[in-house]
Amino acid sequence: MAKREDKIGERISEAEHAVMEALWDDSPLTAADVCERVCEQRGWSMPTVKTLLSRLVTKGAVETEADGRRFLYTPTIARADYVGHESRRLVDRLFGGRPASLFAQLAESEALTDQDLAEIERLLKELRS
Amino acid sequence: MAKREDKIGERISEAEHAVMEALWDDSPLTAADVCERVCEQRGWSMPTVKTLLSRLVTKGAVETEADGRRFLYTPTIARADYVGHESRRLVDRLFGGRPASLFAQLAESEALTDQDLAEIERLLKELRS
DNA sequence: GCCAATCGATTACGCCTGTAAACCTGTCGC
DNA sequence: GCGACAGGTTTACAGGCGTAATCGATTGGC
């Protein structure tokens, strides 16, 4: 049942997360590649991306592979794991660990469209089988 | 439709959140009251609670009412608003704003018990009417 | 072979957060 | 009336985060 590398040790910050998204979207990437995909959108400059990448490497969320004189960066944790981890954190912190409460909250606060409801219904049906 | 005081300006930190929970649970409270409910559990001392309360007041998340020489603290934002806000933040950040994806994630990662499923189903049915 | 461009590493720095000690002041007991 | 205490305010300080400049090494062009 080894449930897929569950090593999400140190917390990933907001800015670092943006970098992770780029890498999850496509990897390995060089620092320049990453910058190309996030710098404009976030108003960052290269040095910022370099720093974030280093920190992610230190945290063990990203690993490097030498390619001549530069590095290629690859995530070591799966996006699904990260996302699952963060979701559970939220559910624990705000909903006493009861996902149904989260759902109720989203429902009650308008946040669910008809499409969402339909999709959730479909998933529910699937889980029943 | 004034959707209930939506003033969640500054972000509330983790530690501050613990204090908010105490106040949401029961308010108004004095600083000592708050400490009584969270200090042991979190391993805090009075000064820490005082600091957190001050910061929350500065952030406008809590307001004070004088009671003789001391203060009574009361939340100015509703728990439901805070929780909704944070939930939406997560959905936006990690699931491209699609709540159904969050649901799918929770489903796929074991996190949903039969009870959860039953409850969600019930809520769904309710929303349909 | 030497210079400029390229890259990663090191250093910087202000703000927020967690956690508290120190300080000031009003008050209640004696 | 005076000292101990309760309670709020100020100050502190280390670590994380956002953002970046600077340094040092490598290398491709000429």
Side-chain angles (χ1 to χ4, degrees), chain B:
Chain B
M1 259 303 113
K3 50 166 49 204
R4 197 170 43 181
E5 288 307 329
D6 228 58
K7 284 291 114 222
I8 302 179
E10 320 231 14
R11 243 167 111 39
I12 291 173
S13 80
E14 174 84 15
E16 287 159 1
H17 174 233
V19 170
M20 290 302 286
E21 286 294 344
L23 291 172
W24 277 322
D25 197 50
D26 182 13
S27 74
L29 295 179
T30 65
D33 290 338
V34 172
C35 187
E36 212 166 285
R37 321 197 171 204
V38 301
C39 280
E40 187 166 9
Q41 191 201 8
R42 310 265 309 197
W44 287 345
S45 59
M46 260 305 272
T48 300
V49 171
K50 303 260 188 83
T51 301
L52 293 173
L53 281 168
S54 301
R55 287 181 184 168
L56 285 167
V57 169
T58 303
K59 291 184 181 181
V62 163
E63 74 189 349
T64 56
E65 163 198 356
D67 168 45
R69 84 220 89 85
R70 64 188 171 169
F71 284 160
L72 297 180
Y73 297 87
T74 313
T76 61
I77 67 183
R79 183 176 140 86
D81 286 335
Y82 173 71
V83 159
H85 187 72
E86 289 299 301
S87 304
R88 244 164 287 131
R89 250 177 61 86
L90 182 92
V91 169
D92 288 344
R93 220 164 59 84
L94 301 185
F95 299 95
R98 287 181 307 283
S101 303
L102 201 204
F103 179 74
Q105 163 64 41
L106 289 171
E108 190 192 315
S109 68
E110 120 299 316
L112 299 178
T113 65
D114 285 350
Q115 219 191 9
D116 288 327
L117 291 177
E119 173 129 10
I120 290 172
E121 199 161 16
R122 194 177 59 64
L123 284 166
L124 252 185
K125 219 161 272 165
E126 214 172 292
L127 288 173
R128 292 269 156 201
S129 45

Side-chain angles (χ1 to χ4, degrees), chain A residues 13-15 44-45 48 51 55 59 69:
Chain A
S13 79
E14 175 84 14
W44 288 345
S45 59
T48 299
T51 301
R55 287 180 183 169
K59 292 185 180 180
R69 82 225 88 81

